[in-house]
Amino acid sequence: MTKGSYLFTIPRLVSIIRREKVDIVCTHSSVDSWAGGIASLLTRRILVRFKHNLYRVKHDPLPDSYILCRESS
């Protein structure tokens, strides 16, 4: 998904979330986190964001929680 296309994706995500009765929306990258985050807000679902890097988590108002996947040193 490109940054410019995620706005067109949100209505489709909302439809899928409602049709499939999804309880939790999981996202991975910043682009899909915006689309998934807005869709989860519109459908009142829980949003969980997975982070797969070593960067610090910045304040993000959309996710209900984070799952951090980091290698141990």
Side-chain angles (χ1 to χ4, degrees), residues 3-71:
K3 290 183 180 182
S5 69
Y6 79 91
L7 289 175
F8 299 104
T9 306
I10 295 168
R12 292 177 62 200
L13 284 172
V14 167
S15 176
I16 292 168
I17 290 167
R18 288 182 175 151
R19 183 180 68 240
E20 300 296 326
K21 298 181 177 135
V22 172
D23 294 321
I24 299 172
V25 177
C26 298
T27 63
H28 294 266
S29 72
S30 61
V31 176
D32 68 333
S33 289
W34 280 108
I38 293 169
S40 70
L41 284 174
L42 293 172
T43 57
R44 297 184 177 174
R45 300 307 198 274
I46 294 170
L47 174 65
V48 176
R49 182 167 182 203
F50 285 81
K51 297 280 288 176
H52 297 274
N53 56 41
L54 299 175
Y55 300 113
R56 295 182 73 163
V57 175
K58 297 178 184 175
H59 176 69
D60 185 348
L62 291 176
D64 294 290
S65 63
Y66 283 95
I67 297 176
L68 303 175
C69 304
R70 299 178 177 170
E71 290 185 29

